[in-house]
Amino acid sequence: MFALVLLGYAFIVLIDTIPVYKDGTRREFWVSTSLLAVSLIVAVLFSLGVDLPSPADPLRQLITKIYGL
Amino acid sequence: MNQERITNHQLFSMVVLFVIGSSLIVGVAAQVEIDKWIAILIALAAAVPTLMVYIKLLSLFPGKNLFDILFLVFGKWVGRLFVLLYTWYAFHLGAMVLRNFGEFVNMMAMPETPMIMPILLMGVSCIWIVKEGIEVLGRSAFFLLPIIVAIIFIVQLLCIPQLNLQFLTPILADGWEPVLEGAFSTFSFPFAETVLFTAVLCCPANKKAPYKPFLGGLIAGAFIILTVTFRNLMVMGATLKQSPYFPSYIAVGRIRIGDFLQRMEITVSIVFVVGAFIKISICLLAASTGVKKLAGLNHFRSVVMPIGILMILLANGIYKNTIEMVKWAFDIYSYYALPFQLFIPFVLLGIALISKHKEKKANEQPSS
């Protein structure tokens, strides 16, 4: 699973990040690469079976608090 | 910057597919037992003026989309906050629809396949089409809509032997309260979700505002939802309440004509795949446009891939099970979406109208 994730990301870098590096501006490259790095961290944690907290629960608590449901 | 253009017909198809997208499968107004159709009609009556507000907003600022308007009206910093909120909303909505799709496939068609697989495949297709731009999206919606309508129509005809008119009565047996709750939930999911179209479209200058395709798409989508809901009700009656997940799938599964026309559920899956595809793509497009505006990029294409992958990952981990998903969709989601669909656009339109009025007055005074 872990190896598959890394392989997938290598493919993404090949088809997406390298064209952005060649054609886009520096800013575009850095924004897309940092977003991709965040997603890589999350994907690796998922593949290692780490139970990541979901945003649905805190959001639900926030909403019930705001509207007083 | 070169603007991409879509025709009115394409916009109409996109709105119809967006509206029927996930709601045909997940079902609407789960709070109501047999008066769902009243709830849908009330929600439609509330949604039409809301959509007119969205279009009015776009037509006040030709050539600008929602994010540009937020920056113009609220200034740089407050505008940035609102753009961030809308970007999150688009991103989260896309992930929720993706998760609906994953749950559907996992529960009904392929229970042994890990849920990440359907989510991943759908997500990759959406990333691809969004990278190609809104023109391709509009053309594919225009191409797919007639197929979907034909499928829904044929299945509707095949259902006729199963229909029971008396399942529709008694009308309003539980009073108005659950009906209004259902109307509220139907308003926010799916009708007013079309606010995301304002984030990806802009009115071209010196052209009429797209009232007709936008409102027409909404009404056509609502009509399709209405007929499908009627069908589900008349096929299943009050037992609809006992199988709250994916009612269309179960209703169509009852079609048996002779020995050979059975297992028509696959048609429902086709409709859902196409609807979810368009809906997720619009959400992804809106989220990418928001990130583009926030980070000051030249084009959204460079961030589509990372945002799409984040969306896939969020969809994979957002809920623990189907029960949590349905509870979110019907209990929490309406309140969660209310600021994005109602409060912010109305406040935005109010401030924009006042500032335009002032501008006009200031322009008139020197000449007099």
Side-chain angles (χ1 to χ4, degrees), chain A residues 24-50:
Chain A
T25 58
R26 288 301 85 155
R27 208 184 167 85
E28 274 172 357
F29 174 71
W30 285 116
V31 170
S32 100
T33 315
S34 47
L35 281 170
L36 201 65
V38 173
S39 77
L40 175 65
I41 294 168
V42 178
V44 165
L45 288 178
F46 261 128
S47 72
L48 293 177
V50 180

Side-chain angles (χ1 to χ4, degrees), chain A residues 9 12 15-16 20 25 27-28 31-32 35-36 38-39 42-43 46 54-57 59-60 63-64 67 69, chain B residues 88 92 131 295-299 302-303 305-307 309-310 313-314 316-319 328 332 335-336 338-339:
Chain A
Y9 271 86
I12 291 166
I15 62 163
D16 192 67
V20 169
T25 58
R27 208 184 167 85
E28 274 172 357
V31 170
S32 100
L35 281 170
L36 201 65
V38 173
S39 77
V42 178
F46 261 128
S54 143
D57 237 24
L59 270 177
R60 197 188 65 217
I63 290 157
T64 39
Y67 291 98
L69 292 175
Chain B
W88 164 255
H92 189 192
K131 268 180 97 77
L297 306 178
N298 292 333
H299 207 283
S302 54
V303 289
M305 181 72 95
I307 292 176
I309 290 168
L310 280 172
L313 292 170
L314 179 63
N316 189 42
I318 189 168
Y319 308 121
W328 233 92
I332 311 289
Y335 294 96
Y336 168 61
L338 204 57

Side-chain angles (χ1 to χ4, degrees), chain B residues 21-187:
Chain B
S22 50
S23 39
L24 270 194
I25 296 301
V26 183
V28 290
Q31 291 85 346
V32 202
E33 213 158 339
I34 43 182
D35 301 317
K36 283 179 198 287
W37 55 281
I38 305 179
I40 294 172
L41 287 178
I42 296 174
L44 181 63
V48 167
T50 316
L51 254 76
M52 286 172 96
V53 167
Y54 301 161
I55 306 168
K56 178 80 189 161
L57 201 57
L58 282 183
S59 66
L60 276 180
F61 299 89
K64 303 260 187 285
N65 64 22
L66 178 71
F67 297 133
D68 301 327
I69 297 171
L70 282 167
F71 262 63
L72 278 177
V73 170
F74 287 125
K76 205 171 172 195
W77 291 105
V78 185
R80 191 161 287 219
L81 175 74
F82 281 117
V83 172
L84 187 67
L85 281 176
Y86 266 102
T87 309
W88 164 255
Y89 175 61
F91 178 69
H92 189 192
L93 179 64
M96 281 193 282
V97 179
L98 208 50
R99 175 65 181 217
N100 284 348
F101 175 73
E103 287 282 356
F104 173 71
V105 173
N106 196 255
M107 205 169 159
M108 295 302 185
M110 298 185 238
E112 311 246 321
T113 313
M115 199 190 292
I116 185 79
M117 278 328 283
I119 291 180
L120 190 68
L121 293 175
M122 178 59 106
V124 168
S125 336
C126 293
I127 291 172
W128 188 2
I129 201 163
V130 172
K131 268 180 97 77
E132 299 295 327
I134 195 170
E135 283 186 348
V136 179
L137 190 58
R139 278 202 294 270
S140 37
F142 186 61
F143 168 71
L144 289 166
L145 182 68
I147 302 176
I148 293 309
V149 170
I151 289 176
I152 293 175
F153 183 70
I154 292 170
V155 171
Q156 210 80 341
L157 289 185
L158 290 178
C159 267
I160 286 175
Q162 312 277 337
L163 298 184
N164 267 315
L165 266 180
Q166 67 265 34
F167 280 163
L168 286 181
T169 51
I171 293 170
L172 287 177
D174 298 328
W176 279 101
E177 202 177 317
V179 174
L180 291 178
E181 266 175 37
F184 175 46
S185 128
T186 314
F187 170 77

Side-chain angles (χ1 to χ4, degrees), chain B residues 192-352:
Chain B
E193 277 172 359
T194 40
V195 66
L196 286 183
F197 275 93
T198 58
V200 299
L201 296 174
C202 50
C203 271
N206 65 46
K207 265 214 173 143
K208 256 172 63 184
Y211 281 99
K212 230 179 186 175
F214 211 34
L215 288 177
L218 174 79
I219 290 168
F223 178 72
I224 294 177
I225 291 179
L226 200 62
T227 49
V228 168
T229 309
F230 263 124
R231 180 197 73 199
N232 290 352
L233 269 174
M234 286 197 270
V235 171
M236 316 233 310
T239 53
L240 201 55
K241 192 95 178 172
Q242 286 151 21
S243 51
Y245 321 122
F246 317 121
S248 289
Y249 196 81
I250 297 164
V252 174
R254 297 215 180 157
I255 295 180
R256 272 210 179 85
I257 298 184
D259 282 335
F260 60 99
L261 267 185
Q262 297 181 1
R263 297 253 136 206
M264 301 295 289
E265 294 102 316
I266 188 72
T267 54
V268 177
S269 312
I270 295 171
V271 173
F272 187 37
V273 168
V274 171
F277 174 59
I278 298 292
K279 195 163 177 178
I280 298 164
S281 304
I282 300 270
C283 294
L284 183 56
L285 191 57
S288 311
T289 318
V291 171
K292 172 202 143 196
K293 187 76 193 168
L294 276 177
L297 306 178
N298 292 333
H299 207 283
F300 66 83
R301 262 186 199 123
S302 54
V303 289
V304 171
M305 181 72 95
I307 292 176
I309 290 168
L310 280 172
M311 203 182 249
I312 292 169
L313 292 170
L314 179 63
N316 189 42
I318 189 168
Y319 308 121
K320 289 185 191 67
N321 45 42
T322 318
I323 302 168
E324 199 186 337
M325 179 188 90
V326 173
K327 204 169 155 43
W328 233 92
F330 289 117
D331 291 350
I332 311 289
Y333 177 75
S334 324
Y335 294 96
Y336 168 61
L338 204 57
F340 303 107
Q341 297 174 344
L342 218 57
F343 299 155
I344 299 176
F346 274 74
V347 170
L348 195 58
L349 182 68
I351 297 176

